[in-house]
């Protein structure tokens, strides 16, 4: 789709297309609607990032809580959104060994127990080994650091989802 089509959308069409570019947070797309017309997909992504950055701590934590665990219960029950399902599969979450699956579940549980939100990483930019390493490393961080790192990953996920939707001339994936 071209940016001209995006900028011609009414609100309902805009939300239908971009409402899940931040997982389960259609508020982000609903909020940036006011900034149209968008110059290009980078401009749209920048506005979503600014909205996320301007959220109070509770809001940023809430965005992270809106993400499904990697290879977690929702994945096992086939209840992931289409985007998450594709992303998790791309990272190899669908072909974990039993030990990897158990290790990941324990680490995800520990992370969520410590921070009160799930470990979030851009699955399309990391294979399962990097995800496991990232989870072990980031488990040692402070809450403030992990809110920051998690949001950065949310922005990367959003960027890739936007690039799936909008034609772009060599816009570098953030
Ligand atoms: N907890 C997560 O990091 N979840 C996810 N990362 C992605 O890139 N897609 C997901 O569902």
């Amino acid at each position: 789709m071209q940016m001209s089509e995006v900028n011609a959308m009414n609100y309902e069409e805009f939300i239908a297309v971009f409402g899940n570019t931040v997982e389960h947070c259609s508020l982000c797309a609903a909020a940036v609607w006011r900034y149209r017309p968008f110059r290009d997909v980078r401009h749209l992504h920048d506005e979503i990032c600014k909205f996320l950055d301007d959220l109070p701590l509770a809001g940023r934590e809430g965005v992270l809580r809106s993400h499904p665990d990697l290879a977690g219960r929702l994945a096992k029950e086939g209840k992931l959104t289409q985007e998450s399902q594709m992303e998790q599969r791309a990272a190899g979450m669908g072909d974990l060994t039993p030990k990897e699956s158990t290790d990941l579940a324990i680490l995800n549980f520990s992370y969520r127990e410590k921070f009160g939100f799930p470990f979030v990483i851009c699955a399309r930019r990391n294979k399962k080994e990097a995800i496991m390493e990232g989870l072990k490393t980031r488990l040692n961080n402070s809450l403030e650091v992990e809110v920051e790192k998690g949001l950065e990953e949310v922005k990367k996920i959003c960027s890739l989802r936007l690039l799936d939707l909008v034609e772009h001339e060599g816009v570098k994936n953030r």
Side-chain angles (χ1 to χ4, degrees):
M1 158 188 340
Q2 300 296 325
M3 271 328 279
S4 53
E5 292 172 78
V6 174
N7 288 325
M9 287 178 174
N10 63 30
Y11 173 73
E12 286 68 26
E13 290 162 346
F14 184 81
I15 278 295
V17 173
F18 297 101
N20 202 49
T21 49
V22 177
E23 183 75 357
H24 292 308
C25 292
S26 60
L27 174 64
C28 299
V32 302
W33 167 250
R34 72 174 1 251
Y35 299 116
R36 73 198 189 286
F38 299 99
R39 293 185 300 279
D40 52 27
V41 66
R42 182 187 293 274
H43 176 203
L44 173 51
H45 183 245
D46 286 348
E47 293 298 350
I48 291 173
C49 291
K50 274 191 274 184
F51 176 77
L52 290 169
D53 288 337
D54 290 346
L55 288 172
L57 176 59
R60 281 173 281 142
E61 289 176 332
V63 170
L64 295 173
R65 283 190 203 105
S66 301
H67 284 69
D69 276 338
L70 290 163
R73 180 178 56 77
L74 290 176
K76 291 184 173 67
E77 294 173 0
K79 292 180 179 166
L80 292 176
T81 59
Q82 277 190 329
E83 295 92 339
S84 279
Q85 188 177 16
M86 174 272 289
E87 290 154 353
Q88 296 206 22
R89 191 181 308 123
M93 292 294 105
D95 55 21
L96 299 174
T97 64
K99 181 180 182 321
E100 286 170 335
S101 186
T102 304
D103 290 350
L104 184 58
I106 291 167
L107 286 166
N108 270 329
F109 178 82
S110 306
Y111 184 100
R112 191 188 282 269
E113 278 295 291
K114 177 174 179 182
F115 296 112
F117 49 77
F119 171 75
V120 178
I121 193 168
C122 182
R124 276 201 263 180
R125 305 284 285 273
N126 292 277
K127 290 297 175 221
K128 63 183 176 182
E129 294 74 17
I131 289 170
M132 297 292 278
E133 274 318 300
L135 183 36
K136 285 173 191 161
T137 307
R138 286 174 48 189
L139 193 50
N140 302 313
N141 289 335
S142 68
L143 182 131
E144 293 71 20
V145 167
E146 277 308 294
V147 170
E148 181 64 35
K149 282 186 178 294
L151 257 289
E152 285 315 303
E153 294 301 310
V154 168
K155 293 173 185 175
K156 291 176 192 169
I157 296 166
C158 178
S159 175
L160 295 177
R161 290 185 180 188
L162 288 172
L163 293 176
D164 286 343
L165 294 164
V166 181
E167 298 302 312
H168 50 283
E169 300 71 37
V171 169
K172 191 173 74 65
N173 293 6
R174 285 284 182 84

